[in-house]
Amino acid sequence: MAEEIILQTRNLRREFGALVAVADVSIQVQANTLHSIIGPNGAGKTTFFNLLSGNLKPTSGQVLFKGRDITNLPLHRTAHLGIGRSFQITNIFPNLTVLENVRLSCQALGKDNFRLFSSHRRFRQYEERAREVIDQVGLTKEALLLARTLPHGGQRKLELGMLLAPDPEVLLLDEPTAGMAAEQVPELLELIQQVQELGNKTVMLVEHNMNVVMSVSDFITVMHQGQVLAEGAPSEIAANEVVQSAYLGELYGELEAMAGNE
Amino acid sequence: MQTSISTSAQRNGLAAFLKRNGSLIAIVLIMIALPFVVALLDGRPFSDVLANETGNAKFVQGLMIEIFILAIYAISYDLILGITGLLSFGHAMFFAVGAYGTGIMLKNLEWGILPTLGGIFVLGVLQALLFAVVLPRVKGITFALVTLGLASVFQIVVQSNEVGEYTGADVGLQGVIPPDFLNTSTERFHLYLIGLALTVVIYLVYRRFVDSPTGRVCVAIRENEDRALMLGYNTFYFKLAALIVSSITAALAGTLHTLHQPIVSPNVASLSYTVLALLIILIGGMGTLSGAMIGAAVFRLLEYFLDKQFSENASFILGLIYVLLVMFVPYGIVGTWQVKRLQIQQGRARLYEALGLRKKPN
């Protein structure tokens, strides 16, 4: 595995009034790895993600992509660099078909956006790519349905499809399995892992499901109260007592108390 | 619906075009025949229509030209509101700039019709750029209010006495003499055909625009602008493109208005004229394009017949009809029809399935 750092942050900080959501976080993401960010609710994971993808501007600090400062880049430029992001809350075009959602995602990075008076059907390459991705995420049968008529799990798959369509180098996935039926989760994660390994991509994942994170990740950053609590390979994190007490403290405490009572 | 993508192989050529647009062609043919049919019903010879004789046939053509003007104006509003999702309350200005501009160029500047059309084109682009100045800074209802402000300033300016020499101030712009072949009083059938052709061409161009890569992004912006940004679209340029196309079209409708009406009232620059466009596309179906056409016809004909029947009570009844339409036909005439058609198709598919008559797997 190449020891290349594709994405890094330097003292990234974001305040909302008096609340410091992300407090001087510096991390490094190795290329071609699956890097997860975990932490209890309110740890600042999503805010951190929004800073990475450019949806929020930091109060101070920098985001570097391949050594280039992208902190103040306009939102629409991020995708052109090869950074794609999905959202915790499903974020699609509800009244367009599944195919059109993905097709628009393909078209975005092409050069035909300002062909005002020629039919979009002339530009077949986008539709072909869209169909390929739709097959990949398993929505072939639903391709011509309106996106809002899909069940939640289907919409999550669509979200992933829109992310994969332009073939980005870095994928930022904010809880891709949020709200999905438990039996669908492994399927989706397998897909993500497959995409990462086969496509030589870097995936950053925010995830709540601990089992999932431990099994798929190459590297884990644990956040707590806006700061990095621990970093390391899954086995190191699992063994880290500080993490256990911070992240799982209450739960473990309860379990131990229950065990003690019996 | 507009959103669907045809999966069948693309057919090209004139025959295919005619086949796909059967109803449009039928409507055009009916419209061409209409003045002659009216003459026939009146017991007058067809040559009356060509000779521009006064009568019902000429009157009906006048009414239809008003519908064409409203249809072009409304479809231009549908492009920014129904397709791109930009709520502008200043659309009347787009129309009024065309109407006043045409009048001033023809009358005061004594330009011919072609330079005038060129001038209108330039004005159309300029006013869209004016709106675009505020476009990236304000969104949603704030954009609506800023555009309302811009249009109000324009209305105050055209009504002011300082420019009365050009605009006719409160009275309105009068005494514009259109070129002979476009003169509504002496060559109405010409103007009628030109209006019809312009309406159809604009409709087809708009349909193509909505179907183009640019237009698809405009629809995406309406659906979810943040997502469009995240995908890598600089949404500002797409909204600007829609604004420019819309502005030029509305100004052209204004040109037709000036050619047809003996007087351009400052009322065409008022908020109520923007609301008129909104009403028409609500009646017809927002974001459907053809809805603007049908809405314009329904609106103008309703207004005409109610005026005739109830005179001063007409606007009350018209208002009542709007309320009922919004309550019972919430997606407009075309929008509701499209929804029903889809439901019927799906219902039929289920029926076939239940009966074991699999038509074709989809």
Side-chain angles (χ1 to χ4, degrees), chain B residues 286-351:
Chain B
M286 201 177 280
T288 58
L289 296 186
S290 53
M293 309 269 122
I294 289 167
V298 169
F299 169 83
R300 188 65 191 98
L301 293 176
L302 261 182
E303 193 184 52
Y304 168 69
F305 285 113
L306 290 175
D307 243 9
K308 212 166 142 186
Q309 290 290 317
F310 304 99
S311 59
E312 70 261 40
N313 295 327
S315 33
F316 171 74
I317 295 167
L318 204 56
L320 199 67
I321 292 174
Y322 294 149
V323 173
L324 291 176
L325 268 174
V326 171
M327 280 173 72
F328 296 108
V329 196
Y331 304 112
I333 296 167
V334 175
T336 308
W337 181 72
Q338 284 174 343
V339 170
K340 291 285 173 219
R341 188 180 57 176
L342 195 70
Q343 285 171 348
I344 290 170
Q345 276 172 359
Q346 287 171 344
R348 194 180 291 155
R350 275 202 298 275
L351 185 69

